Amino acid sequence: MSSLKDSFASLPRITALAWPIILSNITVPLLGLVDTAVVGHLSDSRYLAGVTLGATLFSFLYWSFGFLRMGTTGLTSQAYGRERDDEVRHLLGQSLILALCIGTLLIALGHPLIHLGLWLLDGSPEATGLAASYAGIRLLSAPAVLANYAILGWFLGQQNSRVTLMLLLVNNGVNIAFDLLFVVSLGMTSDGVAWASVIADYSALMLGLWLCRKRLGLLTGHFETPHLFRLSAYTELFSINANLFVRTLGLLFASAFFTAQGAAQGDTILAANAVLMQFIMLTSYALDGFANAAEALTGHAIGRRRFNEFASAVRGAALCSLLSAILASLAFALGGNALISLLTGLPEVRASAADYLPWMVIMPLVAVWSYLLDGVFIGATAIAEMRNSIFIALAIYLPAWWLTQGLGNHGLWLAFTLFTVVRSTVLIAYYHIYRSSRWSS
């Protein structure tokens, strides 16, 4: 009874942290709609195809370096819990230096990376040429994008999620304004969309650095050069980020494999799966918010060595996440066909997506635990366990797909669902083991 009471006691803090993240997530598809609308009204469809290819390439490329956000959050939340202002301060400096180095390296290696990525995406020659030009411009924002990841992680680690909303609103608002200026007013094409993104990324960075400066003024101490430029000071940050990077590559492979196997079954199946993947994205908007709240609160509790607070935060985030997952499943069961109709007007794609809709009813209920426990393990900086969960799940996913090929796309969805179930199960097992050992008083 007391544990249930503790769970409810943690709900106000969890929801206060989660709602800005959920709102900021909702702004992301708005930008995609504007990009599509301004380029989609140009005289030639190849411009839209070029932007789509280029944007897809950068989604995968930048997502690969999402560890800069997650690793910074976990370490900062623990330092914040220990009330070590010096550690909090230096984690920002180290993460920004790491972001700058990786971003600069990406620009230096940009030409071969872009050509490899576009070769893998296999678009038409005309669309690929436009995508290469778009990508060459977008790559200039790599240091800003990665630095913004570090800034978001640093503020979230200090339980300030409103900065996430502020930075995304500025980024998307500036992006939309310059989309309209460059493409609609000045007559630029796909390159105009790319330049709008670059300007938006650096605008968000300027705001983020200003907010960092204000926050640093409230912390005690000052930057010490050895902590910023001595390689040995980066050991923990490198270790955590390396495991997160490998884990993210595993997730990217699982997603790319799913897309490729859907494409092998024809354009209709590929399109239907793409529509249904939007259901998963919609679910992630809420679940990510509660997982990010769990990162901040569990890391803070571990930093303070207060494991009752840790358990209370996990239970509270689990309650919010589970309720969101149940609502998502009910919404997909009752209104899934209507949502499919909103997302596509093609009769054959609608019919195909409807055939596989039951998988969307199941998915939130099995995926919720992996979202939640990813957040818990990031806060606890138990990153090797997250990495292991992905590769154990892949070891089930690939044989399951091979054995169920006779079921067609249902077999593919079954394998992908098993991947999610195994990932969640492994994390649950790790959680129970550690809750009775390293995460107990």
Side-chain angles (χ1 to χ4, degrees), residues 67 122 126 128 132 134 142 153 174-175 195-197 223 241 276 302 424:
F67 61 76
D122 195 24
E126 296 83 3
T128 298
Y134 170 95
V174 170
N175 206 329
W195 281 116
S197 295
F223 285 114
N241 286 340
L276 293 176
I302 283 181
S424 295

Side-chain angles (χ1 to χ4, degrees), residues 215-370:
R215 176 59 187 157
L216 288 169
L218 301 176
L219 299 177
T220 59
H222 56 276
F223 285 114
E224 296 178 13
T225 303
H227 284 282
L228 297 179
F229 297 106
R230 191 177 64 239
L231 198 59
S232 60
Y234 286 77
T235 302
E236 188 175 22
L237 196 60
F238 281 150
S239 174
I240 286 171
N241 286 340
N243 279 316
L244 282 169
F245 181 63
V246 172
R247 170 253 184 198
T248 302
L249 289 181
L251 269 179
L252 285 171
F253 172 80
S255 177
F257 183 84
F258 179 89
T259 301
Q261 296 310 315
Q265 298 179 63
D267 288 345
T268 299
I269 293 295
L270 175 63
N273 285 350
V275 167
L276 293 176
M277 276 294 181
Q278 297 305 308
F279 285 57
I280 295 175
M281 288 299 297
L282 286 170
T283 306
S284 75
Y285 293 156
L287 298 184
D288 270 345
F290 297 121
N292 290 164
E295 291 176 31
L297 294 175
T298 55
H300 184 260
I302 283 181
R304 300 175 72 186
R305 309 296 294 173
R306 294 188 179 179
F307 294 105
N308 287 337
E309 288 182 13
F310 172 86
S312 175
V314 173
R315 286 192 295 265
L319 180 60
C320 292
S321 297
L322 181 58
L323 287 174
S324 298
I326 291 170
L327 289 174
S329 289
L330 286 173
F332 296 157
L334 300 175
N337 285 311
L339 183 55
I340 290 169
S341 297
L342 279 175
L343 292 171
T344 178
L346 299 171
E348 66 276 14
V349 176
R350 284 183 178 181
S352 182
D355 287 340
Y356 308 109
L357 183 60
W359 294 108
M360 293 302 96
V361 178
I362 296 169
M363 189 61 74
L365 300 175
V366 297
V368 58
W369 309 112
S370 60

Side-chain angles (χ1 to χ4, degrees), residues 78-198:
Q78 292 187 21
Y80 183 60
R82 290 192 293 268
E83 298 181 359
R84 291 295 303 270
D85 284 4
D86 56 333
E87 290 183 31
V88 172
R89 176 185 296 276
H90 288 108
L91 278 166
L92 173 65
Q94 290 171 338
S95 296
L96 287 176
I97 289 170
L98 189 57
L100 177 62
C101 291
I102 295 172
T104 303
L105 186 62
L106 286 176
I107 292 174
L109 300 175
H111 189 74
L113 280 175
I114 289 169
H115 282 274
L116 174 62
L118 293 176
W119 175 74
L120 290 171
L121 289 172
D122 195 24
S124 69
E126 296 83 3
T128 298
L130 289 167
S133 177
Y134 170 95
I137 297 167
R138 278 291 307 273
L139 199 62
L140 297 174
S141 68
V145 171
L146 301 187
N148 285 333
Y149 286 168
I151 290 169
L152 290 173
W154 190 68
F155 275 104
L156 183 58
Q158 296 170 81
Q159 302 183 21
N160 186 341
S161 59
R162 297 191 182 196
V163 168
T164 301
L165 181 58
M166 291 172 63
L167 293 183
L168 268 168
L169 286 175
V170 167
N171 194 312
N172 292 343
V174 170
N175 206 329
I176 289 169
F178 278 93
D179 268 348
L180 297 173
L181 174 64
F182 290 154
V183 180
V184 177
S185 299
L186 300 181
M188 297 174 71
T189 57
S190 48
D191 284 359
V193 175
W195 281 116
S197 295
V198 171

